[in-house]
Amino acid sequence: MQGKGFYCFHVLSLMLLLVGFHGSVQGRLLFVSKPDPDDASGYARWLASQSSWGVLNTISSELGGAPFGNVVSFSDGLPDKGTGIPYFYLTALDPTARNAFEDQRSSLSISEYPIGTCKADPMNPTCAKITLTGKLVLLDGNSKEAEFARRALFTKHPEMKDWPEDHNFRFYKLEIEDIFLINYFGGPKPLTVDQYLHPKKDLLASVL
């Protein structure tokens, strides 16, 4: 009888653990209700806040100017203080950072699919996707923004703290100049950078 109770306890614990993983992404809470598709700025900020990785595209001088996409981890801020600005922890041993030294033009593509909140195919318009285009900029290592990037990235990706020092990882951000968002049928939603970075305060509190 005691063995049966022990077994039930562990089954229940496992179920609670799985529910916890389903409800969070790298320690960031996933809200039951995501923003309405008509709320372009809220949906875009929700998508950036809840995502932990995307495809960062740069212009490759090593490939004669061809586009080069690379899977990278990112964070837009602390769990309850997302800014919408993607920050990265990159090394020049990787082509992405080297490319940015030559040509800063870059874009970050994010899909809702990995979050687990859409059941359709990733290309289905109801499974949101966003591409943030701009410049990949190296931060001054002694700046307040670099310290913010450090806390944002290391909170969301704790493993980064232990990455090799001799790889010379440094902090970068994407200075956003254009936004392409699809989160439903009807084509891309009109969304300016200002609308994305400065949504209404009550809206911001509901999506971060």
Side-chain angles (χ1 to χ4, degrees):
M1 190 71 178
Q2 184 177 0
K4 183 177 180 181
F6 181 78
Y7 171 78
C8 292
F9 171 79
H10 279 279
V11 170
L12 179 60
S13 299
L14 179 60
M15 290 176 63
L16 291 173
L17 182 64
L18 290 174
V19 169
F21 276 121
H22 179 72
S24 65
V25 174
Q26 294 289 355
R28 183 162 296 192
L29 179 66
L30 283 178
F31 293 90
V32 176
S33 58
K34 54 189 176 182
D36 187 281
D38 289 334
D39 177 10
S41 60
Y43 211 109
R45 288 291 296 272
W46 174 84
L47 189 54
S49 176
Q50 301 299 336
S51 300
S52 61
W53 64 273
V55 177
L56 184 58
N57 307 279
T58 52
I59 306 297
S60 174
S61 58
E62 299 171 8
L63 298 176
F68 177 80
N70 201 1
V71 172
V72 296
S73 299
F74 76 93
S75 177
D76 77 327
L78 297 174
D80 59 344
K81 297 179 181 179
T83 65
I85 299 173
Y87 291 95
F88 312 93
Y89 194 44
L90 306 173
T91 170
L93 296 177
D94 184 276
T96 298
R98 294 200 303 271
N99 292 342
F101 293 150
E102 300 291 332
D103 190 330
Q104 292 182 320
R105 289 179 296 170
S106 309
S107 66
L108 176 68
S109 297
I110 308 167
S111 169
E112 181 185 345
Y113 191 82
I115 299 176
T117 50
C118 70
K119 304 302 180 184
D121 187 271
M123 284 188 65
N124 189 301
T126 61
C127 195
K129 50 180 171 279
I130 188 170
T131 296
L132 305 172
T133 301
K135 293 182 173 64
L136 185 59
V137 177
L138 173 65
L139 299 181
D140 179 348
N142 296 318
S143 67
K144 291 183 178 179
E145 188 171 22
E147 178 56 32
F148 176 84
R150 177 191 301 275
R151 290 188 288 113
L153 285 160
F154 288 6
T155 298
K156 198 169 190 178
H157 305 278
E159 176 187 322
M160 288 181 173
K161 292 181 289 187
D162 299 319
W163 287 358
E165 292 185 6
D166 60 358
H167 282 38
N168 196 29
F169 282 93
R170 302 173 76 180
F171 297 102
Y172 295 74
K173 74 172 180 180
L174 183 67
E175 289 187 347
I176 304 170
E177 299 176 346
D178 184 77
I179 300 171
F180 175 84
L181 170 71
I182 289 184
N183 64 353
Y184 202 68
F185 300 105
K189 295 291 175 62
L191 179 62
T192 67
V193 175
D194 186 66
Q195 289 170 336
Y196 171 78
L197 293 178
H198 305 100
K200 296 179 181 179
K201 289 185 178 180
D202 55 342
L203 170 65
L204 190 63
S206 68
V207 300
L208 299 183

